[in-house]
Amino acid sequence: MDFDLIIVGAGPVGLAVARGLAQRSATRALSVALIDQHGATPIDDPRTLALSHGSRMLLEPLGWPAATTPIKGIHVSQRGHFGRTWIDCRAYDLPALGYAVSYGALMRALAERIENAASLHRFTRTTAHAPIQETERVTLPIETEDGPRRLRARLLIHAAGSASAIASVKGARSKGRDYPQSALLGFVRVETPRAYWAWERFTAEGPLALLPISRVQPADYAFVWCGDPNDTQRRMACGADAARAELRAIFGGRMGCVISIDRRAVYPLRLQRVEPRVQGRIVVIGNAAQTLHPVAGQGLNLGVRDACALVDALSNEGATPQALACFARRRRLDRKITVTLTDGLARTFSDGRAERFAPVYGAALTMLECLPPIKGALARHMIFGQRR
């Protein structure tokens, strides 16, 4: 079975590439094989994503869910110490800094747009093995419900996770580190929320972020609570009343009582980058290329920018190795800045330095508030990244 492109991975980034190519190649659609290890799009997945306004601008033509909660402001502070800054969308003439989006709703919006694409062949419940790169083609052995097959294409796009990406690119290596943290994810209801505002609170053991996911009072928030793995497991296992009390003690009383906490889950945290991300006819993008700490919520936003830049390169250069090389050049700066910034924040508040250097961090937050040009440059990178 021959195709122009094979996309391994049917998550948000893989679907965005498939949809973008179908949309941009109306006159001569590129034939695409989409490899999905799952049987159906996970539209009921309740995980909450933080997508910037820049990502919304990129995704809206491809598929944007109707039910999202705008984040019009972000309050950043550190627990028990001075220093804080407010980032307000009105300072940048934007309707919102970003949006809290259900993972399942985003997947549904993207999947609906590619259902009837004549140029797309979707393989579900399919496992991809290591590809074989040849002079003119890439051969991908796959395992389907009907048995093994071999697909051939001019290019292969890997968007399915960094572990399998390393096996896909000959000579690729993983760079990164494990953080001395894990993340507790869940949902809380608070008594007196501030409408459309998100909160990033740095503590001695890691950041705590709350994202608004409803517009009524009392309101629901999704939270990402990073901390020592032992403490995270304890918070996962303890009763709801104990978890609510500890969250209230760490976050403070800015939004009144924590009424409820539920749907808790634990995730390990690490930084991982795959290098090189392009080799000949194979490219690695999105979470397959870099797995980031959730502080500042930049992982998927970086992946969305990857997807749209790759669609641009393929639309301009065709399904050629030159298109992949062009993509890699365009994305180098944005990737480097975003990975460095995210890793720096994570390490600052994860290895015991937070308490020792709290006055320095407080001064830095205060300086951001007093120097709008620096604050604006940081905010614009978080919203739009570096695009060329």
Side-chain angles (χ1 to χ4, degrees):
M1 301 185 68
D2 281 1
F3 299 90
D4 291 313
L5 300 165
I6 298 171
I7 301 174
V8 179
V13 173
L15 291 178
V17 174
R19 170 58 185 161
L21 290 172
Q23 184 183 62
R24 297 280 288 273
S25 306
T27 55
R28 195 283 184 193
L30 295 171
S31 60
V32 176
L34 179 63
I35 310 301
D36 185 356
Q37 66 176 357
H38 304 289
T41 301
I43 60 175
D44 296 323
D45 191 317
R47 286 177 294 170
T48 301
L49 306 170
L51 288 171
S52 69
H53 184 69
S55 290
R56 175 173 183 165
M57 294 170 63
L58 295 173
L59 285 172
E60 230 165 4
L62 310 178
W64 182 257
T68 66
T69 304
I71 299 171
K72 297 188 177 182
I74 302 174
H75 180 275
V76 184
S77 64
Q78 57 174 347
R79 183 192 181 208
H81 300 282
F82 84 99
R84 61 104 179 102
T85 189
W86 301 80
I87 305 173
D88 193 319
C89 66
R90 292 172 295 185
Y92 309 102
D93 295 323
L94 296 174
L97 299 171
Y99 304 84
V101 182
S102 160
Y103 181 91
L106 177 62
M107 290 290 288
R108 181 191 301 114
L110 290 168
E112 285 175 351
R113 295 289 192 94
I114 65 170
E115 280 183 356
N116 300 316
S119 59
L120 178 70
H121 190 122
R122 188 168 185 170
F123 294 84
T124 58
R125 295 189 176 91
T126 296
T127 301
H129 299 296
I132 303 162
Q133 189 163 182
E134 302 160 4
T135 304
E136 298 293 333
R137 293 275 173 173
V138 176
T139 298
L140 181 70
I142 61 172
E143 196 72 36
T144 72
E145 291 183 306
D146 299 323
R149 291 187 178 184
R150 293 171 73 86
L151 309 182
R152 298 177 75 239
R154 290 196 278 165
L155 300 178
L156 185 142
I157 301 166
H158 202 294
S162 55
S164 54
I166 294 170
S168 293
V169 181
K170 186 178 180 181
R173 59 199 182 279
S174 172
K175 294 183 175 181
R177 62 176 58 87
D178 290 317
Y179 295 110
Q181 295 178 340
S182 58
L184 181 69
L185 277 60
F187 297 87
V188 295
R189 176 162 291 186
V190 297
E191 183 181 28
T192 55
R194 179 164 183 172
Y196 309 122
W197 277 74
W199 306 81
E200 185 93 48
R201 188 153 174 76
F202 292 103
T203 75
E205 57 177 296
L208 167 66
L210 280 82
L211 305 174
I213 56 173
S214 68
R215 310 182 186 194
V216 296
Q217 292 185 340
D220 292 324
Y221 279 74
F223 69 83
V224 181
W225 189 353
C226 302
D228 178 270
N230 293 326
D231 287 333
T232 299
Q233 288 296 339
R234 175 181 54 77
R235 291 164 184 154
M236 177 69 190
C238 72
D241 288 344
R244 285 193 299 109
E246 190 169 357
L247 179 63
R248 172 71 160 71
I250 288 178
F251 181 73
R254 288 183 177 86
M255 292 193 288
C257 293
V258 177
I259 298 171
S260 64
I261 183 170
D262 60 2
R263 287 182 284 177
R264 285 171 282 173
V266 173
Y267 290 88
L269 299 178
R270 75 181 320 271
L271 168 68
Q272 184 164 313
R273 291 174 295 153
V274 173
E275 300 289 356
R277 66 186 308 187
V278 170
Q279 185 191 74
R281 297 181 177 272
I282 298 175
V283 60
V284 184
I285 66 170
N287 198 49
Q290 60 270 322
T291 302
L292 306 184
H293 191 286
V295 65
Q298 289 298 297
L300 182 55
N301 291 294
L302 186 60
V304 168
R305 298 196 292 270
D306 272 357
C308 293
L310 182 56
V311 170
D312 284 345
L314 293 170
S315 299
N316 294 331
E317 303 284 342
T320 64
Q322 290 76 20
L324 302 188
C326 175
F327 160 80
R329 287 193 300 271
R330 283 185 57 191
R331 298 298 300 139
R332 187 175 294 120
L333 179 62
D334 189 18
R335 187 190 193 211
K336 182 176 182 179
I337 292 176
T338 304
V339 171
T340 302
L341 182 62
T342 300
D343 182 49
L345 284 172
R347 294 171 67 190
T348 295
F349 292 94
S350 68
D351 64 358
R353 287 183 291 184
E355 286 297 316
R356 297 198 306 272
F357 294 99
V360 177
Y361 302 148
L365 289 173
T366 302
M367 183 181 69
L368 276 180
E369 194 65 16
C370 297
L371 297 174
I374 296 177
K375 179 179 171 181
L378 178 62
R380 279 188 288 272
H381 178 80
M382 295 296 188
I383 298 168
F384 298 108
Q386 304 293 320
R387 300 185 196 168
R388 293 189 295 115

